[in-house]
Structure formats: structure tokens, C-alpha cells
Amino acid sequence: MTTIVRGRFLDIQQPVTSPQDIAQHVRYIEDGVLITEQGKISWFGTWQDAQAHLPTDAKIDHYPDQLIVSGFIDTHIHFPQTEMVGAYGEQLLSWLETYTFPTEMQFKDKHYADKIAQFFIQELLKNGTTTALVFCTVHPESVDALFENAEQKQMRLIAGKVMMDRHAPEDLCDTPETSYQQSKNLIEKWHNKGRALYAITPRFAPTSTPEQLQKAQQLKQEYPSVYLHTHLSENKDEIAWVKSLFPEHNSYLDVYHHYQLTGQRAVFAHCVHLEDHEWDCMHQTNSAIAFCPTSNLFLGSGLFPLNKAWQKQVKVGLGTDIGAGTSFSQLQTLNEAYKVQQLQGNKLSAFESLYHATLGGAKALDLDDKLGNFNIGKEADFVVLDLQPTALQQLRQSRTQSIEDALFALFTMGDDRNVQATYIYGEKVYEKEA
Ligand code: GUN
Ligand code: ZN
């Protein structure tokens, strides 16, 4: 149950409240050692200092040329949409009708859900993603399929059954009562089982009646330690629709807030077009945002104002939002995040990017006491990155003068080809074929 890994390690030592603070908390050990026991980090430091802690016959996984970082955290992704990445020509509302709902109907079949869940978990690992907050479908079978597959790898996954009782095909709708009962059963079955955690998951305000949102509220009150996961202010037509459906509320976020669905462990995907008082509500309730750049660009939703989130002190994690997002790779997601910042006249530094993909994501998910860096006692989820899997990256990396520049080139050019190995709970669960 002991794993010893030697190589170049890079992490961010503690959560920060401004991007300017990140650089001073970067920890880079050129020749380091990480020791894990029973899935947790029991020792971390330099190769030299490690000598006193290593048994003489220790088996060591040595990665002399790679870079080892904390496992990537995806704070918003839909596993049933894996097969529909790259669906042509629509923006959010027509994209849902045209592509998403028909795809999600297939998940009432447990065998089908199992097949896609297995593929999905493998794809996460192949991309160095070790924790994710995941949308399933309205079918409880889809949640079982996902958690059963994650359990086999001991993954820390947060997921939930979609609650949706209107404005969707009949076969994809539940009712306030069935959504309550099915969610409750799933919470009892999965929440805190091994590393699994449950998220109450109303799809978004337009597909839930007030009665259903009230049931979501009841669940949150009965199970205060579960998560709340939904979408918010992604697209302008969506926002106008919410205003027409809930005229008594003064904003989109106010609908969720009214039903007490904001708060610690509440994660809202997108938040591209929040109004100022909504930002204040996000801050005051300690709610978190999943920033999904590849999705926001692909669906033409808009540019997420990351600087505003720092300014308003609202927690942000990074989301791939597969299948509106176009890649499982957090490296590719950071590549697009950088461009979203550029289009707003801002810079996204390599260290800030690393923060969002690891410790910042952990903080958004209220898991920064367990995940996000190599601090002793944390759960040992990490990824071994090859910085030069292609001729072009080899050339570019040969010209780098600093770890920061090497990291920036990785985040700009990298993808699953850069993931050499992925470790979950101290165990190697993925290794790239030679
Ligand atoms: N809003 C409501 N449902 C969805 C979904 O499946 N994907 C995205 N990107 N936005 C949504
Ligand atoms: Zn989404």
C-alpha cells in the first residue's frame, strides 16, 4: 500500500485570493520524492532529504524527464454527452433540443450507461483528470453506472441525477415527487460511499417547475453535506427565458437563491453574463463558478469575466463541459481560457492556470483540505506530464528558460498526448502506451 515516486514536482501550496499572490506560493522541486501510504501523501520533499525515509529495497517509480503535478479537477462535465462532442451549428437552447435531449434518452438503458461511463472514466484518466463534478441524466441508472465505474478506480467523483420536470421531451422528464425520491435514494446509496459524493442536480431553472425547485431545497435541507450543481447565465436567450418564466424574481440567480440552493458546495456552471448584484450574491453565499471556456466559445455563449470573479472574491474552478465543451483535456481548456482572457485585454499566467486546474478547483468543490497539492495528509491523486510528446513541443520546450515558460507552453500546446501516467489514491491507474 506504499507508493514512491521520484521526479520534478510542481504545486501551489495554499489557496489565494488574488492572482498576484500565486507566484509566491508555487513550490517547485527539481528532484523530489512523494511517498504515499493507504492512498494519502505521507512524505514529500527533495530526493536528498528523502534518503532517511526510503527503505533500502524500495521500488521507486522514477520520472526523470517529466513534470508531476496534482491531479486535474474538472468542475463541470456531462458524462452522457461524451458521444456528442462537436455537434454542429446551434447555440444553447436549440443545441439542447437538437442534439442533447435525444442523446440523453439512451441512458435509461443501464447497459448503455455502463458502456459510456466506462469510456468516460478512461477518458478522464487519459487526460490526467482525477476528480470531476459530473452531470448524469434524469435516469437513476445513469448515476449508478457512473459511480460503479468510478468506484473501481477509487476516484473522488461528485455526481447526481438530473432533476427536470418541464420543457424537455416527456421521456426525459421526472416529477417533483419522483425527482425527490430518486435523488434521496441515490444520496443514501452513494454519498460518502468510498470517495463518492452526491450533487443535487436541477438541470437549470427553465426545466424545473417551482415545485421541483422546492423539492431540491428540501433535499438540501435534509442532506446539508451534499453538493448543488446546475447551470447559470450561460446564454442571453436563456436568461431572457428565465426572466419570463420567473417574473417575480429579480434575476436568474435569485431563482436559485430563493430556494436556498446557493451556498458552500453550490457550483454554478458558466456565469458568463451575471449582473452586479448576482456577483454580490455569489460572494455572500460562498457559491462557486465553473468556468468552461471551450464550451462558451463553441456555443457562442460569451466571454467569462475571470477578473471580475477575482475582484468579487468568488471561487472559480475550470470545467470542460463536455459535450458543449470540445475537449476532455484541462490543458486544452486552459489554452482556450487564455484566449478568453486575451479577448478581454487580460493575461492568464501559467501559474494562475495551474492554480485553477488544481488547488483552485479543489477549493471551488470544497475539497481543498483533501486535494489540490502535495501537502502531507492529502489524498494522493497526481499526474505525470511529458512536456515533449511531439516534435513541435520538443522544439518549443528546448527554448524555454524557466519552469513558468515551460508550463505556459504546455498549457498552450498540450493535450492527452502529454499525459504519461495518472495516479489515483496512490495507485497508477493509467499509463500512456509507448
Ligand atoms: N444548460 C442546461 N443544460 C445544459 C447542458 O447540457 N449543457 C450546457 N452547456 N448548458 C446547459
Ligand atoms: Zn453543462
Side-chain angles (χ1 to χ4, degrees):
M1 287 310 239
T2 300
T3 303
I4 305 170
V5 179
R6 177 180 178 189
R8 282 202 287 166
F9 289 86
L10 181 69
D11 73 345
I12 315 278
Q13 286 181 270
Q14 65 180 66
V16 295
T17 53
S18 96
Q20 290 76 34
D21 291 343
I22 292 168
Q24 75 200 68
H25 298 293
V26 170
R27 173 168 49 183
Y28 178 48
I29 303 184
E30 262 198 293
D31 190 6
V33 171
L34 183 82
I35 305 177
T36 82
E37 268 160 59
Q38 288 5 301
K40 305 241 172 82
I41 296 168
S42 59
W43 196 88
F44 177 58
T46 63
W47 169 248
Q48 210 169 16
D49 291 347
Q51 297 314 308
H53 302 270
L54 297 175
T56 43
D57 59 344
K59 178 187 162 298
I60 300 174
D61 295 356
H62 190 193
Y63 299 100
D65 303 320
Q66 286 81 351
L67 182 70
I68 305 171
V69 301
S70 200
F72 296 135
I73 296 179
D74 189 337
T75 60
H76 180 69
I77 184 165
H78 300 249
F79 105 78
Q81 295 174 18
T82 301
E83 66 193 71
M84 53 164 287
V85 173
Y88 176 75
E90 305 298 331
Q91 296 212 349
L92 177 63
L93 299 177
S94 52
W95 174 86
L96 284 172
E97 293 279 345
T98 312
Y99 298 112
T100 315
F101 293 152
T103 303
E104 292 193 2
M105 295 224 205
Q106 304 170 100
F107 288 75
K108 64 169 181 283
D109 174 357
K110 176 70 173 16
H111 290 298
Y112 191 78
D114 263 329
K115 196 172 88 176
I116 300 295
Q118 199 179 353
F119 184 97
F120 173 83
I121 298 279
Q122 197 55 29
E123 202 64 23
L124 289 180
L125 298 177
K126 191 177 168 183
N127 282 280
T129 299
T130 50
T131 279
L133 172 58
V134 189
F135 257 72
C136 300
T137 63
V138 74
H139 316 98
E141 295 82 356
S142 70
V143 182
D144 286 334
L146 184 68
F147 278 136
E148 282 163 14
N149 278 278
E151 191 174 41
Q152 289 173 24
K153 310 281 185 199
Q154 295 198 79
M155 267 181 108
R156 190 168 274 296
L157 221 68
I158 314 169
K161 174 204 122 71
V162 167
M163 301 171 77
M164 170 156 78
D165 67 346
R166 63 171 170 175
H167 299 135
E170 207 180 311
D171 278 2
L172 272 188
C173 284
D174 50 19
T175 68
E177 191 47 46
T178 60
S179 70
Y180 168 82
Q181 199 53 52
Q182 290 172 346
S183 300
K184 190 179 172 77
N185 293 346
L186 289 164
I187 291 169
E188 296 281 348
K189 183 169 178 184
W190 289 109
H191 187 56
N192 280 320
K193 176 159 189 247
R195 299 181 81 198
L197 294 163
Y198 194 84
I200 299 164
T201 310
R203 176 168 219 118
F204 65 156
T207 47
S208 285
T209 58
E211 293 71 34
Q212 183 166 62
L213 292 171
Q214 209 259 314
K215 286 292 183 189
Q217 174 179 6
Q218 190 182 339
L219 284 166
K220 191 86 180 83
Q221 279 164 353
E222 288 172 26
Y223 299 95
S225 72
V226 303
Y227 287 74
L228 184 289
H229 185 197
T230 189
H231 297 93
L232 171 63
S233 281
E234 175 178 5
N235 164 292
K236 292 201 169 151
D237 292 341
E238 169 210 16
I239 296 166
W241 194 22
V242 172
K243 288 189 171 163
S244 74
L245 290 169
F246 296 91
E248 65 282 21
H249 294 283
N250 70 8
S251 69
Y252 190 163
L253 180 56
D254 188 52
V255 177
Y256 297 133
H257 187 58
H258 174 82
Y259 293 99
Q260 298 181 357
L261 301 177
T262 47
Q264 181 87 344
R265 288 184 301 287
V267 181
F268 296 93
H270 307 300
C271 299
V272 174
H273 309 284
L274 290 185
E275 294 168 33
D276 222 48
H277 62 101
E278 295 181 295
W279 279 105
D280 293 335
C281 178
M282 290 293 290
H283 170 75
Q284 283 153 13
T285 57
N286 209 10
S287 304
I289 295 172
F291 168 28
C292 307
T294 76
S295 165
N296 296 159
L297 296 172
F298 183 75
L299 289 184
S301 302
L303 303 174
F304 175 71
L306 182 57
N307 285 26
K308 184 99 178 179
W310 280 116
Q311 183 199 327
K312 292 283 186 180
Q313 294 288 297
V314 177
K315 295 173 288 185
V316 174
L318 209 57
T320 59
D321 193 28
I322 291 290
T326 51
S327 172
F328 272 80
S329 171
Q330 292 286 40
L331 304 176
Q332 273 304 298
T333 305
L334 288 169
N335 177 23
E336 299 306 298
Y338 179 83
K339 297 171 192 170
V340 166
Q341 280 292 67
Q342 278 282 42
L343 283 165
Q344 298 174 94
N346 302 321
K347 294 178 189 177
L348 179 61
S349 77
F351 290 145
E352 183 182 344
S353 289
L354 178 66
Y355 180 72
H356 291 308
T358 57
L359 188 59
K363 188 158 174 60
L365 298 184
D366 195 32
L367 291 171
D368 50 311
D369 59 331
K370 298 186 176 64
L371 301 175
N373 59 22
F374 298 120
N375 289 354
I376 289 165
K378 286 205 178 180
E379 296 172 356
D381 294 347
F382 51 93
V383 50
V384 181
L385 297 166
D386 174 2
L387 301 192
Q388 339 197 344
T390 66
L392 181 59
Q393 289 193 60
Q394 208 172 355
L395 177 68
R396 173 68 175 85
Q397 289 292 347
S398 74
R399 302 296 190 269
T400 56
Q401 303 283 335
S402 65
I403 185 65
E404 188 167 15
D405 189 36
L407 197 63
F408 184 69
L410 168 74
F411 290 158
T412 305
M413 305 168 84
D415 55 31
D416 58 341
R417 291 171 295 183
N418 293 76
V419 176
Q420 179 85 33
T422 304
Y423 287 71
I424 297 255
Y425 222 47
E427 262 186 59
K428 196 194 301 177
V429 289
Y430 168 79
E431 184 154 35
K432 191 171 73 163
E433 282 166 28

